[in-house]
Amino acid sequence: MATSANPPLDEKLLERIHADQNTNTGIENKKLIMWLFLASDCMFFGTLISTHLIYRKLYPFGHPQEGAVNITGTFDIELTSFSTFILLMSSFLMALAVSAMHKGAIQSFRNYTFGVILFGLVFLGGQVYEFQHFFHGQGWYEWKATAPDGQEVVGNEANGRYFKDVASAAAAKESFLHEHYGVKIESFAAQKPNEFKYKLKLPSKTGGEPMIFTGVYEYHPEAHHAEDGESYLKPREAFKHDNFGFTLDEFKQVKQVPGLSLQNSVFGSTFYVMTGTHGTHVAIGILWLFSMLVFSYTKNFSVINAVDVEIAGLYWHFVDIVWIVIFTVVYLVEYIPSA
Amino acid sequence: MGHATTWKEAAKIENSRYHTFFNLAMFLAVLTGIEIVIIFLPWATWLVMGGLIVLSVIKFFAVILWFMHLIYDKILLFWLFMTGMVIATGTMIALMLLFSYEDVDEEAIASVDPVVQMVA
Amino acid sequence: MSTATADAPHHADHHHAVADKSQLAPEKSWLGLNRPDRHSGWIDWLTTVDHKKIGVMYGAFALFFFLLGGVEALMIRVQLAVPENDFITAQLYNQFFTMHGTTMIFLGVMPLSAAFFNFLVPLQIGARDVAFPRLNAFSLWTFVAGAFVLNVSWFFQFAHTVGWFGQDLRLTDMAPAGGWFGYVPLTSAEYTGIGTDFWIVGLQILGVASLAASFNFIVTILNMRAPGMTMMRLPVFTWMTLITSFLIIFAFPAITIALAELMFDRYFGTNFFRVEAGGQPILWQHLFWVFGHPEVYILVLPAMGIVSEILPTFSKKPLFGYPIIVFSGAVIGFLGFAVWSHHMFTTGLGKIATAAFSLLTMAIAVPTGVKIFNWMGTLWGGRIKFTVPMVFALGFIWMFMMGGFTGIMHSAAPADAQQQDSYFVVAHFHYVLLGGVLLGLLAGLYFWTPKIFGRMLNQKLGYWTAFLVIAGFNITFFPMHYLGLTGMPRRTHTYLGDMGWNLWNHVATIGAFILGIGVLLCFVNIVWTALKGKPCESDPWDGRTLEWSTPTPVPAYNFARTPVVQARDCFWVHKHGDKKMDFMDDGGHGIHMPSQSWFPLLCGFGFAVFGVSMAMLAAGVPLAGYFAIGGLVAVTLGIYLWALEGPGGYHLDPPKEGDEESDEPTDAPAAQAAH
């Protein structure tokens, strides 16, 4: 099965590999110590998961007060399922990488390991995205505004499109005002000094024809001496901050999923520390495999290192089984009603 | 595991494992799919809960036995790992049983500022 | 990532076997650097991977911290000598009892046990070294780093006392003051200062050291035994090492997580143990004792192993009921994970939990009792020689048994409710830990010092030590039973004169000084012997296990030829029985020795920087966070360089039997020379 990039298969090498198994138990020292470490790590994650589950049991809302966190609202089960799948497949590739080393196929080992690292990075990326998302929370808003020509415009906004912070509706409104109702500037041209003609497009929320607004905007630089220290805004920039001449009549939050942080709830503390520890394990695994991959291009690497690859693989699979448990007892059970 | 004495034999053993690993990976993916589906089914809580636990245990053992080679390796490794697993699981269950909501001192917690309440 | 001595054959071609490593050309690592093989003196000690040298260093550090912890204990006793004393402030008193407990457990008893593990286990199983020699050095230096981080807090306390930090600090405890089990909320950021941060990080680092060492010993014992050394032929001390190591690898993760959670509470404002946000301080107690109770067995099992070696040697009888002793040890280890809540009976666990933990606690007394009966069975009908180690070992049985009795009293929850947090508990665990563990370890010191240093400890001084230690110990701690039952609370800074406690507190303080003199005498004896003592033969006690078959001092390679073990107590059977030990053929290429390395020391250094910086971070020192990261980078760098330097190794040629030219005749295996 070896490709041309692989070293010649040497029977002596194979004998040397087996010499490592010449111990009392017939198990290589490195493999035995890895398994002991994993057995110990069971207790490590067991304690973390226990902490999480105990607090889940004590506080049905994830916190003594209702409303501090909204667990299923925070979770994004599609994304997490995808991450789970990716990690599972990385485990499959890892098994193949170990297998390749056992038959002396170093080039296929490299290919598979590259795949594992890639999948591991995707998983980590998913976790980073997820953490950011969870931290900022989500909100849904309804608003009513009057256009310069007197037209009434209504709409709603979901968090994530325009607002980053939804901890308070006031902050969201502030942010909203700066985000211009979702309008697009079609054209913006100077007519006279300090006067600009514009055309705006407001996409319809219901999928109908977009609304078009046109108007004239007067620009007075001295009026825009910004509070944040930025001196004179450019016309177009200043124009944005004037909200196109729209006036906001109503802005209200209809639904909110508060952000989840380490500090704002018990659930946040246990969730981030537990999944963060798992993520750290994944990151260490990636670093380890990457080092192994680089090392495989040096002269000191040979099929003798099959056992080194195998223990890195054991570590990687363990990280996967920990995720199997976390995915079930931390994510999935939250969706069972009255659980 | 039976030791290969030649590279040819090693290749043979490992190639036969490829199919095992592939089938297992697909099997695990399917089980994960089932897990994700059953949580949305209108079944009794105990049934869904039981289903999730059984499926996770199957996945767990599938990975440690095949991907982690325990089924091919010396049985000692299996028992070493299971010792850790049993102590960890036992401790977890005992801790879970030791805590109950009646122990929570509501008054002590009541002094906290309520976080933003849900709207609508 | 580390060297297995099993990779020996691969590097055989690089080096010719020589009789002395100073004849070798400097060895290059894969990185192109010279490996520190050929140095001698202190560089040799800093970079050594020899389990015997590592064991001696563990022992030296442990003895130093024993003295430190002892001084702290004497401070406590002086403060309590008379009612309403103001010898030290209440805060300093808290720091003394916290650091006394932490020091004695993590920096005294555990490393002294580790010293014996290191020195003896490879010798007892007929191995050349442990499975991962560099990892062993890593354990040592990481332990030193953790010990440094814990104790450097005293310098900050001193600096504060002389006014270097000004007077406007809110929390002025620079040394840990939260008790050795660090209950929250006492250890939360509201109530204690950076002392607790030193304590948290120090314990985390010590945990890394203990875990690494334990993995190493389990692999060594399971994988590196000489041919014929089956599990049921292992010396009991090695068995207890194995069980202790398993306890460590399953118990330490619980404290690691508990400490990490506490650390997050203190550093990042999480809510694990913050009552006001729904955290449950009782969870800390549970997690701590999930670790803490197995920890008690981690402390006592090695001492039991030592005693199980000494009693048969001086009774001239095999150990009575060897399989039962081994099995009891394993049962104690396993049950040790199921009794933790007996430390928490007064927290209101509920009837069922209290009853369950009560019953399990009573059950764990059974295997312990079985062991005591087996030791008595060993003594029964033996030709007992009252040597110094034997006196200590007999003292161990009696004192440990008394500690066990009060332990059974605690297992009854209603009785425990009266005794909780009183001096009765203090008496109980000092009978177990001092009367049990310390006497066992001192017995081991007197027993194995001839093997370690090749010199016999002064026996007369030894009998004096035994007398002073046992007498002083009983004078100190026996009255505490009475003090506790009459209501004297544990950890009280002082007490009123009309409580009826004056007399026994005074007596206890006098006893503590007698004990202190005894221990000091012992340490003086050891240091004096190590430097100036009278050389002795390689097998002065007519020993039974393999370590006595090696020449003294033990050569770097331990066994010139690997022994083939033919029986339990193989060396005894070899000398006095009908079956002789065989020796393996040496293969003619010398003995493979692992190369030394700087990188375990670098990792230890990184941990020390990390630990101190983390405490500084908590104190708000600018840039401390960067130093903490720098420390972790140093650790990572150490691990990488360690992996990349390659396993290395060279070959030594042991002197042949009857080799006239050899100028080191002691290097001939004593076992073979004798025949």
Side-chain angles (χ1 to χ4, degrees), chain A residues 16 20 23-25 27 29-30 32-33 36-37 40 43-44 47-48 51 55 58-59 63-64 262-263 265-266 269-270 273 287-288 291 300, chain C residues 1-2 6 10 30 131-132 135 215 218-219 222-225 249-250 253-254 256-257 261 268-272 277-280 283 287 290 640:
Chain A
R16 263 165 62 184
D20 280 354
T23 59
N24 297 104
T25 55
I27 303 161
N29 286 346
K30 287 179 182 176
L32 187 57
I33 202 171
L36 288 166
F37 170 73
S40 168
M43 196 68 192
F44 190 85
T47 313
L48 271 173
T51 307
Y55 284 130
L58 290 186
Y59 306 121
H63 195 73
L262 269 174
Q263 295 90 3
S265 61
V266 189
S269 302
T270 59
V273 171
L287 200 63
W288 187 352
S291 310
N300 292 319
Chain C
M1 289 274 185
S2 58
H10 320 162
W30 288 354
F132 300 95
L135 188 64
F215 293 135
I218 297 174
V219 175
L222 291 180
N223 259 0
M224 311 280 288
R225 285 167 282 135
I249 70 168
F250 295 136
T256 305
I257 292 301
E261 288 174 351
F268 307 112
T270 53
N271 308 311
F272 287 105
Q280 296 279 319
L283 180 65
L287 295 184
V290 164
Y640 264 92

Coordinates of all heavy atoms in Angstrom, one line a residue, chain A residues 16 20 23-25 27 29-30 32-33 36-37 40 43-44 47-48 51 55 58-59 63-64 262-263 265-266 269-270 273 287-288 291 300, chain C residues 1-2 6 10 30 131-132 135 215 218-219 222-225 249-250 253-254 256-257 261 268-272 277-280 283 287 290 640:
Chain A
R16 N 12.4 -3.9 15.3 CA 12.7 -2.9 16.4 C 11.4 -2.3 17.0 O 11.4 -2.1 18.2 CB 13.6 -1.8 15.8 CG 15.0 -2.0 16.1 CD 15.9 -1.1 15.2 NE 15.7 0.3 15.4 CZ 16.3 1.2 14.7 NH1 17.1 0.9 13.8 NH2 16.1 2.5 15.0
D20 N 10.0 -2.8 21.4 CA 9.4 -2.0 22.4 C 8.3 -2.6 23.2 O 8.0 -2.2 24.3 CB 8.8 -0.7 21.7 CG 9.9 0.3 21.4 OD1 11.1 0.0 21.8 OD2 9.6 1.3 20.7
T23 N 8.0 -5.9 27.0 CA 7.9 -5.5 28.4 C 7.1 -6.6 29.2 O 6.6 -7.6 28.5 CB 7.1 -4.2 28.6 OG1 5.8 -4.4 28.0 CG2 7.8 -3.1 27.9
N24 N 7.0 -6.5 30.5 CA 6.3 -7.5 31.2 C 4.9 -7.7 30.7 O 4.4 -8.8 30.7 CB 6.2 -7.2 32.7 CG 7.6 -7.1 33.3 OD1 8.2 -6.1 33.6 ND2 8.2 -8.3 33.5
T25 N 4.2 -6.6 30.4 CA 2.8 -6.7 30.0 C 2.7 -6.8 28.5 O 1.6 -7.1 28.0 CB 2.1 -5.4 30.5 OG1 2.7 -4.3 29.9 CG2 2.0 -5.3 31.9
I27 N 3.0 -4.4 26.6 CA 2.5 -3.1 26.1 C 3.7 -2.1 26.2 O 4.4 -2.1 27.2 CB 1.4 -2.6 27.0 CG1 0.2 -3.6 27.1 CG2 0.9 -1.2 26.6 CD1 -0.7 -3.4 28.3
N29 N 5.9 1.1 26.9 CA 5.8 2.0 28.0 C 5.0 3.2 27.7 O 4.2 3.7 28.5 CB 7.2 2.4 28.4 CG 7.9 1.3 29.2 OD1 7.3 0.4 29.6 ND2 9.2 1.5 29.3
K30 N 5.2 3.8 26.5 CA 4.6 5.0 26.1 C 3.1 4.9 26.0 O 2.3 5.7 26.4 CB 5.1 5.6 24.8 CG 6.5 6.1 24.9 CD 7.0 6.6 23.6 CE 8.4 7.1 23.6 NZ 8.9 7.5 22.3
L32 N 1.3 2.6 27.6 CA 0.7 2.3 28.9 C 0.5 3.7 29.6 O -0.5 3.9 30.2 CB 1.6 1.4 29.7 CG 1.1 0.9 31.0 CD1 -0.2 0.2 30.9 CD2 2.1 -0.1 31.6
I33 N 1.5 4.5 29.6 CA 1.5 5.8 30.3 C 0.3 6.7 29.7 O -0.4 7.4 30.4 CB 2.8 6.5 30.4 CG1 2.8 7.5 31.5 CG2 3.1 7.3 29.1 CD1 4.2 8.1 31.8
L36 N -2.9 5.4 31.1 CA -3.1 5.8 32.5 C -3.5 7.3 32.6 O -4.3 7.7 33.3 CB -1.7 5.6 33.2 CG -1.4 4.2 33.5 CD1 0.0 4.0 33.9 CD2 -2.3 3.6 34.5
F37 N -2.8 8.1 31.7 CA -3.2 9.5 31.7 C -4.6 9.7 31.3 O -5.4 10.5 31.9 CB -2.3 10.3 30.7 CG -2.7 11.7 30.4 CD1 -2.6 12.7 31.4 CD2 -3.4 12.0 29.3 CE1 -3.0 13.9 31.2 CE2 -3.8 13.3 29.0 CZ -3.6 14.3 30.0
S40 N -6.9 8.9 34.1 CA -6.9 10.0 35.1 C -7.7 11.1 34.6 O -8.4 11.8 35.3 CB -5.4 10.4 35.3 OG -5.3 11.5 36.0
M43 N -11.4 11.3 35.3 CA -11.8 11.9 36.6 C -11.7 13.4 36.5 O -12.6 14.1 37.0 CB -10.7 11.4 37.6 CG -11.1 11.7 39.0 SD -12.5 10.6 39.5 CE -12.9 11.4 41.1
F44 N -10.8 13.9 35.7 CA -10.7 15.4 35.4 C -12.0 15.9 34.8 O -12.6 16.8 35.3 CB -9.5 15.5 34.5 CG -9.0 16.9 34.3 CD1 -8.1 17.5 35.2 CD2 -9.4 17.6 33.2 CE1 -7.6 18.8 34.9 CE2 -8.9 18.9 32.9 CZ -8.0 19.5 33.8
T47 N -15.1 15.5 37.0 CA -15.4 16.5 38.0 C -16.0 17.8 37.4 O -16.9 18.3 37.9 CB -14.0 16.9 38.7 OG1 -13.4 15.7 39.1 CG2 -14.3 17.7 39.9
L48 N -15.5 18.1 36.2 CA -16.0 19.3 35.5 C -17.5 19.1 35.2 O -18.3 20.0 35.4 CB -15.2 19.6 34.3 CG -14.0 20.5 34.4 CD1 -13.2 20.5 33.1 CD2 -14.4 21.9 34.7
T51 N -19.7 19.2 38.2 CA -20.0 20.6 38.6 C -21.2 21.2 37.8 O -22.1 21.7 38.3 CB -18.8 21.5 38.4 OG1 -17.7 20.8 39.1 CG2 -19.0 22.8 39.0
Y55 N -25.2 22.0 39.2 CA -25.8 23.3 39.1 C -27.0 23.3 38.2 O -28.0 24.0 38.4 CB -24.8 24.4 38.7 CG -23.9 24.8 39.9 CD1 -22.5 24.8 39.7 CD2 -24.4 25.0 41.1 CE1 -21.7 25.1 40.7 CE2 -23.6 25.4 42.2 CZ -22.2 25.4 42.0 OH -21.4 25.7 43.0
L58 N -29.7 21.9 40.4 CA -30.1 22.9 41.4 C -31.0 24.0 40.9 O -31.9 24.5 41.5 CB -28.9 23.4 42.2 CG -28.2 22.4 43.1 CD1 -27.1 23.2 43.9 CD2 -29.1 21.7 44.1
Y59 N -30.5 24.5 39.7 CA -31.2 25.7 39.2 C -31.8 25.4 37.8 O -31.1 25.4 36.8 CB -30.2 26.9 39.1 CG -29.5 27.1 40.4 CD1 -28.1 27.1 40.5 CD2 -30.2 27.4 41.5 CE1 -27.5 27.3 41.7 CE2 -29.6 27.7 42.7 CZ -28.2 27.6 42.8 OH -27.6 27.8 44.0
H63 N -29.7 29.5 36.7 CA -29.3 30.6 37.6 C -30.4 30.7 38.6 O -31.6 30.3 38.3 CB -29.2 31.9 36.8 CG -28.5 33.0 37.6 ND1 -27.2 32.9 37.8 CD2 -29.0 34.1 38.2 CE1 -26.9 34.0 38.6 NE2 -28.0 34.7 38.8
P64 N -30.2 31.1 39.8 CA -31.3 31.2 40.8 C -32.5 32.0 40.3 O -33.6 31.7 40.6 CB -30.6 31.9 42.0 CG -29.2 31.6 41.9 CD -28.9 31.4 40.5
L262 N -19.0 34.5 31.7 CA -18.5 33.7 32.8 C -19.1 34.2 34.1 O -19.3 33.5 35.1 CB -17.0 34.0 32.9 CG -16.0 33.0 32.2 CD1 -14.6 33.5 32.2 CD2 -16.1 31.6 32.8
Q263 N -19.4 35.6 34.1 CA -19.8 36.2 35.4 C -21.3 36.2 35.6 O -21.7 36.3 36.8 CB -19.2 37.6 35.5 CG -17.7 37.6 35.6 CD -17.1 37.7 34.2 OE1 -17.8 37.8 33.2 NE2 -15.8 37.7 34.1
S265 N -23.9 34.3 35.3 CA -24.7 33.2 35.8 C -23.9 32.0 36.2 O -22.7 31.9 35.7 CB -25.8 32.8 34.8 OG -25.1 32.3 33.6
V266 N -24.4 31.1 37.0 CA -23.7 29.9 37.3 C -23.6 29.0 36.0 O -22.5 28.4 35.8 CB -24.5 29.0 38.3 CG1 -23.7 27.9 38.8 CG2 -24.9 29.9 39.5
S269 N -20.7 30.2 34.0 CA -19.4 29.8 34.6 C -19.1 28.3 34.3 O -18.0 28.0 33.8 CB -19.4 29.9 36.1 OG -19.7 31.3 36.5
T270 N -20.0 27.5 34.6 CA -19.7 26.0 34.4 C -19.6 25.7 32.9 O -18.7 24.9 32.5 CB -20.8 25.1 35.0 OG1 -22.1 25.4 34.4 CG2 -20.9 25.3 36.5
V273 N -16.2 27.2 31.4 CA -15.0 26.5 31.9 C -14.9 25.1 31.4 O -13.9 24.6 31.0 CB -15.0 26.6 33.5 CG1 -13.8 25.8 34.0 CG2 -14.8 28.0 33.9
L287 N -1.8 21.1 18.3 CA -0.4 21.5 18.4 C 0.5 20.2 18.3 O 1.5 20.2 17.7 CB -0.2 22.2 19.7 CG 1.1 23.1 19.8 CD1 1.0 24.2 18.8 CD2 1.2 23.7 21.2
W288 N 0.1 19.2 19.1 CA 0.8 18.0 19.1 C 0.9 17.3 17.7 O 2.0 17.0 17.3 CB 0.1 17.0 20.1 CG 0.9 15.8 20.5 CD1 2.0 15.3 19.9 CD2 0.5 14.8 21.5 NE1 2.3 14.1 20.5 CE2 1.4 13.8 21.5 CE3 -0.5 14.8 22.4 CZ2 1.4 12.7 22.3 CZ3 -0.6 13.7 23.3 CH2 0.3 12.7 23.2
S291 N 3.1 19.3 15.4 CA 4.5 19.1 15.7 C 4.9 17.8 15.1 O 6.0 17.7 14.5 CB 4.7 19.1 17.2 OG 4.2 20.2 17.8
N300 N 15.0 12.4 11.7 CA 14.8 11.5 12.9 C 13.5 10.8 12.9 O 13.3 10.0 13.9 CB 15.0 12.4 14.1 CG 16.4 13.0 14.3 OD1 17.3 12.3 14.0 ND2 16.4 14.2 14.6
Chain C
M1 N 6.6 11.2 24.6 CA 7.6 12.3 24.4 C 8.9 12.1 25.1 O 9.8 12.8 24.9 CB 6.9 13.6 24.8 CG 5.8 14.1 24.0 SD 6.5 15.0 22.6 CE 5.0 15.6 21.8
S2 N 8.9 11.2 26.0 CA 10.1 11.0 26.8 C 10.7 9.7 26.5 O 10.2 8.9 25.8 CB 9.7 11.1 28.3 OG 8.8 10.1 28.6
A6 N 13.3 1.3 27.2 CA 13.1 0.2 26.3 C 13.6 0.5 24.9 O 13.8 -0.4 24.1 CB 11.6 -0.2 26.2
H10 N 18.1 0.7 19.9 CA 18.2 1.5 18.7 C 19.5 2.4 18.6 O 19.9 2.7 17.6 CB 17.0 2.5 18.5 CG 15.8 1.9 18.9 ND1 14.7 2.7 19.2 CD2 15.4 0.6 19.1 CE1 13.7 1.9 19.6 NE2 14.1 0.6 19.5
W30 N 20.0 15.7 19.3 CA 19.5 16.0 17.9 C 19.5 17.4 17.6 O 19.5 17.8 16.4 CB 18.1 15.4 17.8 CG 18.0 13.9 17.7 CD1 19.0 13.1 17.7 CD2 16.8 13.1 17.7 NE1 18.5 11.8 17.7 CE2 17.2 11.8 17.7 CE3 15.4 13.5 17.7 CZ2 16.3 10.8 17.7 CZ3 14.5 12.4 17.7 CH2 14.9 11.1 17.7
A131 N 10.7 3.9 34.1 CA 10.4 3.8 32.7 C 10.7 5.0 31.9 O 11.2 5.0 30.8 CB 8.9 3.4 32.5
F132 N 10.5 6.2 32.6 CA 10.7 7.5 31.9 C 11.6 8.3 32.8 O 11.2 9.2 33.6 CB 9.4 8.2 31.7 CG 8.4 7.4 30.8 CD1 7.5 6.6 31.4 CD2 8.5 7.5 29.4 CE1 6.6 5.9 30.6 CE2 7.7 6.7 28.7 CZ 6.7 5.9 29.2
L135 N 11.2 12.1 32.7 CA 9.9 12.5 33.3 C 10.0 12.5 34.8 O 9.4 13.3 35.5 CB 8.8 11.5 32.9 CG 7.4 11.9 33.3 CD1 7.0 13.2 32.6 CD2 6.4 10.8 32.9
F215 N 2.3 8.4 37.2 CA 2.2 7.7 35.9 C 3.5 6.9 35.7 O 3.4 5.7 35.3 CB 2.0 8.7 34.7 CG 0.7 9.4 34.7 CD1 0.6 10.8 34.5 CD2 -0.5 8.7 34.9 CE1 -0.5 11.4 34.5 CE2 -1.7 9.4 34.9 CZ -1.7 10.8 34.7
I218 N 3.7 3.7 37.9 CA 2.8 2.6 37.5 C 3.4 1.9 36.3 O 3.5 0.6 36.3 CB 1.4 3.1 37.2 CG1 0.7 3.8 38.5 CG2 0.5 2.0 36.7 CD1 -0.6 4.4 38.2
V219 N 3.8 2.7 35.3 CA 4.4 2.0 34.2 C 5.7 1.2 34.5 O 5.9 0.1 34.1 CB 4.8 3.1 33.1 CG1 5.5 2.4 31.9 CG2 3.5 3.8 32.6
L222 N 4.5 -2.0 36.4 CA 3.8 -3.0 35.5 C 4.8 -3.5 34.4 O 4.6 -4.7 34.0 CB 2.6 -2.3 34.9 CG 1.4 -2.0 35.8 CD1 0.3 -1.4 35.0 CD2 1.0 -3.2 36.6
N223 N 5.7 -2.7 33.9 CA 6.4 -3.0 32.7 C 7.8 -3.4 32.9 O 8.4 -3.9 32.0 CB 6.3 -1.8 31.7 CG 5.2 -2.1 30.7 OD1 4.6 -3.1 30.7 ND2 5.0 -1.2 29.8
M224 N 8.5 -2.9 33.9 CA 9.9 -3.0 34.0 C 10.5 -4.1 34.9 O 11.6 -4.0 35.3 CB 10.5 -1.6 34.4 CG 10.0 -0.5 33.6 SD 10.7 -0.3 32.0 CE 12.3 0.3 32.5
R225 N 9.6 -5.0 35.4 CA 10.1 -6.0 36.3 C 11.1 -6.9 35.7 O 11.0 -7.2 34.5 CB 8.8 -6.8 36.8 CG 8.0 -6.0 37.8 CD 6.6 -6.7 38.0 NE 5.7 -6.4 36.9 CZ 5.0 -7.3 36.4 NH1 5.0 -8.6 36.8 NH2 4.2 -7.0 35.4
I249 N -3.4 9.2 40.8 CA -3.9 9.6 39.4 C -5.4 9.7 39.4 O -5.9 10.4 38.5 CB -3.4 8.6 38.3 CG1 -4.0 7.3 38.4 CG2 -1.9 8.6 38.3 CD1 -3.8 6.4 37.1
F250 N -6.1 9.0 40.3 CA -7.6 9.2 40.3 C -8.0 10.3 41.2 O -9.2 10.8 41.1 CB -8.2 7.9 40.6 CG -8.0 6.8 39.6 CD1 -7.7 5.5 39.9 CD2 -8.1 7.1 38.2 CE1 -7.4 4.6 38.9 CE2 -7.8 6.2 37.2 CZ -7.5 4.9 37.6
P253 N -7.0 14.7 40.0 CA -7.8 15.5 39.1 C -8.9 16.2 39.7 O -9.3 17.3 39.4 CB -8.3 14.5 38.1 CG -7.3 13.4 38.1 CD -6.8 13.3 39.5
A254 N -9.5 15.6 40.8 CA -10.6 16.3 41.5 C -10.2 17.6 42.1 O -10.8 18.6 42.0 CB -11.2 15.4 42.5
T256 N -7.5 19.3 41.2 CA -7.1 20.2 40.2 C -8.3 21.0 39.7 O -8.2 22.2 39.5 CB -6.5 19.3 39.0 OG1 -5.5 18.5 39.5 CG2 -5.9 20.2 37.9
I257 N -9.4 20.3 39.4 CA -10.6 21.0 38.9 C -11.1 22.0 40.0 O -11.4 23.1 39.7 CB -11.7 20.0 38.5 CG1 -11.2 19.3 37.3 CG2 -13.0 20.7 38.2 CD1 -10.9 20.2 36.1
E261 N -11.5 25.9 39.6 CA -12.8 26.6 39.7 C -12.6 27.8 40.7 O -13.1 28.9 40.5 CB -13.9 25.6 40.1 CG -14.3 24.7 39.0 CD -15.2 23.6 39.4 OE1 -15.5 23.4 40.6 OE2 -15.7 22.9 38.5
F268 N -11.4 35.6 37.7 CA -12.3 36.1 36.6 C -13.7 36.3 37.0 O -14.6 36.5 36.1 CB -12.2 35.1 35.4 CG -10.8 34.8 35.0 CD1 -10.3 33.5 35.2 CD2 -10.1 35.8 34.4 CE1 -9.0 33.3 34.8 CE2 -8.8 35.5 34.0 CZ -8.2 34.3 34.2
G269 N -14.0 36.2 38.3 CA -15.4 36.5 38.8 C -16.4 35.5 38.4 O -17.6 35.9 38.2
T270 N -16.1 34.3 38.2 CA -17.1 33.2 37.9 C -17.9 32.9 39.2 O -17.5 33.4 40.3 CB -16.4 31.9 37.4 OG1 -15.4 31.5 38.3 CG2 -15.8 32.1 36.1
N271 N -18.9 32.1 39.1 CA -19.8 31.9 40.2 C -19.8 30.5 40.8 O -20.8 30.1 41.4 CB -21.2 32.2 39.8 CG -21.3 33.5 39.1 OD1 -20.8 34.5 39.6 ND2 -21.9 33.6 37.9
F272 N -18.7 29.8 40.6 CA -18.7 28.4 41.1 C -19.0 28.3 42.6 O -19.8 27.5 43.0 CB -17.3 27.7 40.9 CG -17.1 27.4 39.4 CD1 -16.2 28.2 38.7 CD2 -17.7 26.4 38.8 CE1 -16.0 27.9 37.4 CE2 -17.5 26.1 37.5 CZ -16.7 26.9 36.8
A277 N -24.4 34.5 43.9 CA -24.9 34.3 42.5 C -25.3 32.8 42.4 O -25.4 32.3 41.2 CB -23.7 34.6 41.6
G278 N -25.6 32.1 43.5 CA -26.1 30.8 43.3 C -25.0 29.7 43.5 O -25.3 28.5 43.4
G279 N -23.7 30.1 43.6 CA -22.7 29.1 43.8 C -22.9 28.4 45.1 O -23.4 28.9 46.0
Q280 N -22.4 27.2 45.2 CA -22.5 26.4 46.4 C -21.2 26.1 47.1 O -20.5 25.2 46.6 CB -23.2 25.1 46.1 CG -24.6 25.2 45.5 CD -25.6 25.4 46.6 OE1 -25.6 24.8 47.7 NE2 -26.5 26.4 46.4
L283 N -20.1 22.6 47.5 CA -19.5 21.8 46.4 C -18.0 21.8 46.5 O -17.3 20.7 46.2 CB -19.9 22.4 45.0 CG -19.3 21.7 43.8 CD1 -19.9 20.3 43.7 CD2 -19.6 22.5 42.5
L287 N -15.8 18.4 46.5 CA -14.7 18.1 45.6 C -13.3 18.0 46.3 O -12.5 17.2 46.0 CB -14.6 19.3 44.5 CG -15.8 19.4 43.6 CD1 -15.5 20.4 42.5 CD2 -16.1 18.1 42.9
V290 N -13.3 14.6 47.9 CA -13.2 13.5 46.9 C -11.7 13.3 46.7 O -11.2 12.1 46.5 CB -13.9 13.9 45.6 CG1 -13.4 13.0 44.4 CG2 -15.4 13.8 45.7
Y640 N 9.2 20.9 24.4 CA 9.6 20.7 23.0 C 11.1 20.4 22.9 O 11.4 19.4 22.2 CB 9.3 22.0 22.3 CG 8.0 22.0 21.6 CD1 6.8 22.4 22.2 CD2 7.9 21.4 20.3 CE1 5.6 22.4 21.5 CE2 6.7 21.3 19.6 CZ 5.5 21.8 20.3 OH 4.3 21.7 19.6

